[in-house]
Amino acid sequence: MAASLQSAVFLSNRIDPHRRLFASPARSLPGTKGSILVVRSDGRISGRLSGRNLITNAVAVECCFTKADTPTSSTDSKPGHELLLFEALREGLEEEMDRDPRVCVMGEDVGHYGGSYKVTKGLAPKYGDLRVLDTPIAENSFTGMGIGAAMTGLRPVIEGMNMGFLLLAYNQISNNCGMLHYTSGGQFKIPVVIRGPGGVGRQLGAEHSQRLESYFQSIPGLQMVACSTPYNAKGLMKAAIRSDNPVVLFEHVLLYNLKERIPDEEYVLCLEEAEMVRPGEHVTILTYSRMRYHVMQAAKTLVNKGYDPEVIDIRSLKPFDLYTIGNSVKKTHRVLIVEECMRTGGIGSSLRAAIIDNFWDYLDAPIMCLSSQDVPTPYAGTLEEWTVVQPAQIVAAVEQLCQ
Amino acid sequence: MSTFSAVKILSPPLFAARSSSPFLASPFAPPLSRSGLRSTRLPLPPLAVSSDVISGQNPIASDSSTSRHAEVSREEALVLYEDMVLGRVLEDMCAQMYYRGKMFGFVHLYNGQEAVSTGFIKLLEARDSVVSTYRDHVHAVSKGVPARAVLAELFGKTTGCCRGQGGSMHMFSSTHNLLGGFAFIGEGIPVATGAAFSSKYRHEVLKESNPNGLDVTVAFFGDGTCNNGQFFECLNMAQLWKLPIVFVVENNLWAIGMSHIRATSDPEIWKKGPAFGMPGHHVDGMDVLKVREVAMEAIERARRGDGPTLVECQTYRFRGHSLADPDELRKPDEKAHYAARDPITALKKYILEKNLATEWELKAIVTKIDEVIEDAVEFADSSPFPPRSQLLENVFADPKGFGIGPDGKYRCEDPKFTEGTAQV
């Protein structure tokens, strides 16, 4: 991989797969400051920063989540700092709390304990016990409390210690979070962020390994995003907090220790956009969260076998970024969806439907969807491994799709 | 300091006089062995835990005669009377309009319970919030939402307070700080707790303070809700953080067809306040002046920052649970007993006895309210229904939430969105 860092590079439409672009909030942010880079994810640059040196981002972890890639020389002249994903979340949260005093956090053990995954560590001593509120174990009620606070001017970030616990808050999330803006005729907005770790971990057992994105996706009025790298975790956290819509931010238990170098400058990502991870020509692989890493691991094998997969991290689970996805489908004509959700009623099934509705004419093969088995996640390690999609299955699926 | 450190076991006559609870030696309890169980379980007089607040009160305050509360001025009395009449005439008109096919769905009327709404809400300032349930029409008008907006909302017109999108069970008003209108019971209590949290946050973190004290939130809900988890969870949190909130239980003894006694192990709801460390009051909810007196104290307490109060108002709804309820389970003598204690009639009697106003003046108020409601009906009738273009508005506060379409533009920029014909 060459030292890819150049000065004054305006990127062409051909995107070097080894470069990472800053995705942009270009259209969205009213308060975009001069220091925020505004590059669209397809390489277009919106006016204000032309003439500035465009410095591409660092290498992110692209392989198995257990080891971080050593930063290559391309990062040498790039400032920026290295951190772990949970630290990136915290950094985003802290920046937003500094910026707007109405942003507050509530959840179990977020304050003195610093968060069960350390996302809120250090915030309570800095901001006080009211701004980083340790709640009793009453998900439905403290989620509702967050909603009431949001209606009356605050911007709470509600943490579910594990996403699965938010099943207890489903009443409030569906009825009030999702619908209240509509039933009140637009009088009250609910700018909450509901976040927490979900997904299959390391033998955590069935109830702690749930993927709630499939349950929440039908709720009208709700936006859902899933982060997968420190870079997009921080950017999505900030975007979610600034959004006036209720946003559910899905994190993954196994991704919290991912390391990446992220920019020093402030940046906010677009909540509705997908992320191009690896451009390619043969097949479009749509994925999100932890499965991104299984896909990238499979991609290495596929490249060795002569395939050229295009990998897109859809990031926005609701709504789907039909533009990025559509452009990809139009190019490759073959789609594989890899997700950690259950097969039935999962994000993959909705995505499949959306692609068929919009891009049927461009497909050369049926859309394949690899999801977790419709099985409560077993405790035993071997069984657990078989419920989740593994890289070998992805390789086999691509081979089948590309016949 | 522990609320329980000053437990007083009240002597028999005082306690019996204090509580007008029908559960104790009630003639209306169903003639099943359960009532036999109750009277042996709770010996007369019952040992009751009461908070310092109650035990500190003048014991004669427990007497239920009408003369036994703080005096009220003429202006205040007329405000209360007018507000209760407004609530009653509105609800009667709702029933009429429903049977004429002007409104549909579930409509829950408040007839008979006006004393609770008026007693509390007329003490609030504009900056205070009210959270209600599906029985929210009268809370809305008491808080200041124009009757026109309420009726238009009930008719499903675009001029309604929620643009016709909420309906009977979802009355909201950001101008008047009415935070809903909730269809599921118990759902509004956490929202109210959040509003109170917001009030405390604004004061302590944002350093915005009002010389008169904190913004107060009043949450209204029924007896059935008091068996729901959200109720208990919020009592805990409100007291834990001393939030400026008043929890008002409108105990009308029935949750649709479920009698409160059949649903609740300990039917005395006010006692659940001290269990969480906050004062629990029990008050005769058919007497607006008594409600007002207790409300004054609870609201002041919240405003000072001393925390929440639980107030159980013993009240009754003259009509069924909703207009679809045949109301067959409630006994005629129970209904007659409460009909004889109509809060509006009682207040009228009080006003005339105390010479605060003449009969003629009170009639004039009723006529005026009749006109207001008739005007509201006309307004609602002549208002337009929501156009198709309204369908997709207000789903998201930020319509970018509909996402990016295949053409790269945000879907909300598609003209079909403003027309309301796009498929989401």
Side-chain angles (χ1 to χ4, degrees):
Chain A
M1 169 162 170
S4 50
L5 216 275
Q6 303 301 331
S7 59
V9 169
F10 281 82
L11 298 166
S12 65
N13 286 337
R14 173 79 176 87
I15 299 163
D16 183 331
H18 297 290
R19 294 183 190 197
R20 176 66 48 74
L21 302 168
F22 295 149
S24 112
R27 321 158 68 98
S28 42
L29 276 195
T32 312
K33 305 279 192 301
S35 62
I36 300 180
L37 300 181
V38 277
V39 179
R40 289 303 303 272
S41 44
D42 60 359
R44 286 181 289 121
I45 296 152
S46 72
R48 0 171 7 144
L49 294 183
S50 35
R52 252 179 84 138
N53 288 359
L54 203 67
I55 300 167
T56 55
N57 191 12
V59 171
V61 177
E62 285 186 350
C63 69
C64 177
F65 55 84
T66 49
K67 44 184 202 287
D69 230 4
T70 24
T72 67
S73 55
S74 67
T75 65
D76 282 351
S77 48
K78 165 124 188 32
H81 51 290
E82 219 172 45
L83 42 51
L84 305 180
L85 195 146
F86 73 88
E87 291 169 338
L89 287 166
R90 189 200 318 147
E91 210 174 81
L93 184 50
E94 201 171 338
E95 283 176 16
E96 291 305 302
M97 288 179 83
D98 278 335
R99 177 178 178 265
D100 185 348
R102 296 168 304 160
V103 178
C104 55
V105 184
M106 46 183 83
E108 293 157 18
D109 273 331
V110 295
H112 294 190
Y113 195 73
S116 50
Y117 291 93
K118 299 287 170 262
V119 173
T120 49
K121 186 165 178 181
L123 297 185
K126 181 174 174 189
Y127 297 109
D129 279 351
L130 206 59
R131 261 190 105 179
V132 186
L133 186 74
D134 277 324
T135 61
I137 307 175
E139 277 78 7
N140 202 16
S141 294
F142 71 69
T143 304
M145 194 173 95
I147 292 165
M151 284 165 77
T152 45
L154 300 187
R155 303 185 77 92
V157 176
I158 301 168
E159 172 172 313
M161 190 185 271
N162 184 288
M163 265 293 171
F165 302 168
L166 293 180
L167 286 173
L168 288 139
Y170 207 105
N171 177 9
Q172 292 290 341
I173 293 174
S174 171
N175 286 346
N176 289 342
C177 226
M179 305 208 216
L180 203 143
H181 184 72
Y182 194 81
T183 51
S184 68
Q187 292 183 81
F188 292 100
K189 58 181 190 187
I190 323 283
V192 294
V193 178
I194 298 177
R195 49 158 293 270
V200 176
R202 279 253 177 279
Q203 298 189 244
L204 299 179
E207 291 177 20
H208 281 82
S209 310
Q210 298 190 71
R211 282 77 76 191
L212 257 48
E213 51 266 25
S214 48
Y215 305 155
F216 288 158
Q217 64 176 325
S218 299
I219 300 174
L222 211 60
Q223 265 188 268
M224 305 198 306
V225 287
C227 63
S228 49
T229 65
Y231 176 76
N232 64 34
K234 177 175 172 185
L236 290 175
M237 169 73 94
K238 288 170 70 86
I241 293 175
R242 291 190 193 189
S243 170
D244 277 347
N245 296 334
V247 178
V248 185
L249 171 58
F250 290 93
E251 302 153 13
H252 196 288
V253 272
L254 292 181
L255 298 184
Y256 278 129
N257 288 323
L258 281 183
K259 192 188 280 195
E260 186 179 1
R261 185 175 286 270
I262 66 171
D264 287 332
E265 299 92 355
E266 191 183 16
Y267 68 94
V268 181
L269 294 180
C270 177
L271 284 176
E272 297 86 23
E273 278 186 0
E275 186 179 319
M276 177 68 68
V277 182
R278 181 192 189 282
E281 299 286 332
H282 292 165
V283 59
T284 299
I285 306 183
L286 302 171
T287 183
Y288 65 91
S289 194
R290 178 191 171 207
M291 287 297 112
R292 168 188 175 136
Y293 297 95
H294 282 203
V295 167
M296 290 312 291
Q297 197 175 350
K300 283 191 177 173
T301 316
L302 287 167
V303 164
N304 287 341
K305 290 190 176 191
Y307 294 95
D308 187 20
E310 175 153 294
V311 180
I312 295 178
D313 182 340
I314 61 173
R315 252 175 28 196
S316 175
L317 306 180
K318 178 179 157 71
F320 295 129
D321 178 2
L322 293 176
Y323 182 61
T324 310
I325 293 170
N327 285 350
S328 180
V329 174
K330 289 175 187 172
K331 184 166 58 159
T332 67
H333 312 295
R334 290 178 163 78
V335 181
L336 170 66
I337 302 170
V338 180
E339 57 166 0
E340 201 176 315
C341 244
M342 310 282 194
R343 171 165 298 278
T344 307
I347 297 291
S349 45
S350 301
L351 190 48
R352 230 179 187 163
I355 296 174
I356 290 174
D357 279 346
N358 287 290
F359 309 116
W360 171 257
D361 287 331
Y362 297 97
L363 292 170
D364 282 348
I367 303 172
M368 279 190 76
C369 182
L370 295 177
S371 337
S372 293
Q373 303 278 350
D374 271 5
V375 161
T377 313
Y379 165 73
T382 44
L383 292 178
E384 183 184 68
E385 208 182 298
W386 293 323
T387 60
V388 170
V389 178
Q390 299 295 338
Q393 293 167 262
I394 302 171
V395 171
V398 169
E399 286 176 336
Q400 189 186 343
L401 206 49
C402 289
Q403 271 166 1
Chain B
M1 78 149 194
S2 161
T3 313
F4 298 100
S5 58
V7 165
K8 289 193 171 58
I9 297 177
L10 304 160
S11 61
L14 292 177
F15 186 81
R18 172 190 305 285
S19 163
S20 57
S21 162
F23 313 115
L24 310 169
S26 159
F28 311 116
L32 303 168
S33 58
R34 181 119 176 98
S35 62
L37 256 172
R38 280 212 35 71
S39 52
T40 49
R41 209 155 58 82
L42 282 184
L44 284 176
L47 299 181
V49 174
S50 76
S51 73
D52 286 343
V53 176
I54 294 183
S55 54
Q57 278 176 4
N58 184 342
I60 312 171
S62 58
D63 187 346
S64 58
S65 70
T66 49
S67 60
R68 251 306 322 142
H69 40 56
E71 294 295 316
V72 66
S73 74
R74 173 192 145 87
E75 287 72 32
E76 287 168 342
L78 290 180
V79 162
L80 299 177
Y81 186 75
E82 183 171 330
D83 194 56
M84 289 203 288
V85 169
L86 175 62
R88 180 67 61 87
V89 175
L90 173 68
E91 296 296 69
D92 283 340
M93 185 59 77
C94 283
Q96 247 194 71
M97 292 295 118
Y98 188 86
Y99 293 128
R100 284 203 206 161
K102 300 276 190 188
M103 55 177 98
F104 301 93
F106 294 127
V107 179
H108 309 84
L109 299 181
Y110 202 74
N111 298 51
Q113 298 182 197
E114 294 86 359
V116 181
S117 172
T118 300
F120 272 92
I121 299 180
K122 285 298 146 196
L123 289 171
L124 296 177
E125 298 172 25
R127 62 187 173 113
D128 297 323
S129 301
V130 165
V131 175
S132 178
T133 58
Y134 44 72
R135 206 179 295 283
D136 55 357
H137 308 166
V138 177
H139 295 133
V141 293
S142 274
K143 192 64 174 62
V145 181
R148 280 184 161 199
V150 171
L151 268 166
E153 182 64 29
L154 290 169
F155 283 26
K157 301 295 175 84
T158 193
T159 47
C161 56
C162 300
R163 305 179 83 199
Q165 289 166 194
S168 166
M169 298 186 280
H170 303 280
M171 294 282 167
F172 287 85
S173 170
S174 51
T175 347
H176 300 278
N177 285 319
L178 174 68
L179 305 181
F182 293 94
F184 285 20
I185 59 150
E187 200 172 56
I189 308 178
V191 173
T193 311
F197 174 80
S198 206
S199 166
K200 185 177 165 102
Y201 187 99
R202 281 196 297 279
H203 176 76
E204 289 188 18
V205 177
L206 302 179
K207 310 288 184 211
E208 297 169 6
S209 56
N210 186 303
N212 289 349
L214 298 170
D215 299 350
V216 171
T217 306
V218 180
F220 294 95
F221 48 91
D223 43 285
T225 308
C226 296
N227 293 327
N228 187 280
Q230 288 170 101
F231 169 64
F232 298 108
E233 290 173 359
C234 290
L235 286 187
N236 178 44
M237 292 197 291
Q239 177 59 25
L240 185 62
W241 300 314
K242 292 221 179 334
L243 300 181
I245 185 171
V246 184
F247 296 103
V248 181
V249 184
E250 295 167 324
N251 184 352
N252 57 22
L253 307 178
W254 292 86
I256 308 187
M258 193 64 169
S259 141
H260 179 57
I261 304 172
R262 290 185 68 221
T264 318
S265 53
D266 185 348
E268 294 184 82
I269 301 170
W270 64 271
K271 278 159 65 174
K272 297 174 189 184
F276 286 90
M278 72 179 79
H281 291 274
H282 182 278
V283 69
D284 176 5
M286 305 306 276
D287 182 335
V288 66
L289 298 175
K290 288 210 189 112
V291 172
R292 188 181 153 85
E293 194 183 347
V294 171
M296 236 184 287
E297 189 181 329
I299 293 169
E300 280 313 303
R301 185 183 141 82
R303 235 188 255 300
R304 279 193 309 266
D306 285 346
T309 312
L310 177 66
V311 181
E312 180 187 354
C313 301
Q314 196 66 64
T315 182
Y316 202 76
R317 51 171 162 81
F318 295 157
R319 290 180 180 267
H321 164 74
S322 71
L323 290 174
D325 175 17
D327 194 15
E328 289 160 347
L329 285 179
R330 302 192 302 172
K331 291 184 159 36
D333 46 358
E334 180 186 88
K335 296 188 201 178
H337 170 84
Y338 282 98
R341 302 179 53 215
D342 186 328
I344 297 177
T345 323
L347 182 64
K348 179 171 176 180
K349 184 158 164 266
Y350 176 86
I351 289 175
L352 295 175
E353 270 174 13
K354 299 279 177 181
N355 286 319
L356 296 175
T358 63
E359 174 105 35
W360 181 86
E361 279 173 312
L362 296 180
K363 279 210 169 67
I365 290 178
V366 176
T367 314
K368 174 177 135 195
I369 295 296
D370 278 338
E371 281 166 16
V372 164
I373 297 294
E374 270 180 35
D375 163 79
V377 171
E378 245 183 69
F379 172 79
D381 232 354
S382 57
S383 289
F385 282 105
R388 181 85 198 240
S389 55
Q390 199 178 306
L391 179 66
L392 300 174
E393 291 170 17
N394 308 135
V395 176
F396 288 103
D398 179 0
K400 291 207 297 295
F402 284 115
I404 302 174
D407 57 359
K409 296 206 299 219
Y410 275 99
R411 299 187 66 201
C412 55
E413 291 166 19
D414 174 357
K416 290 218 190 89
F417 260 73
T418 33
E419 289 161 27
T421 48
Q423 182 65 40
V424 293

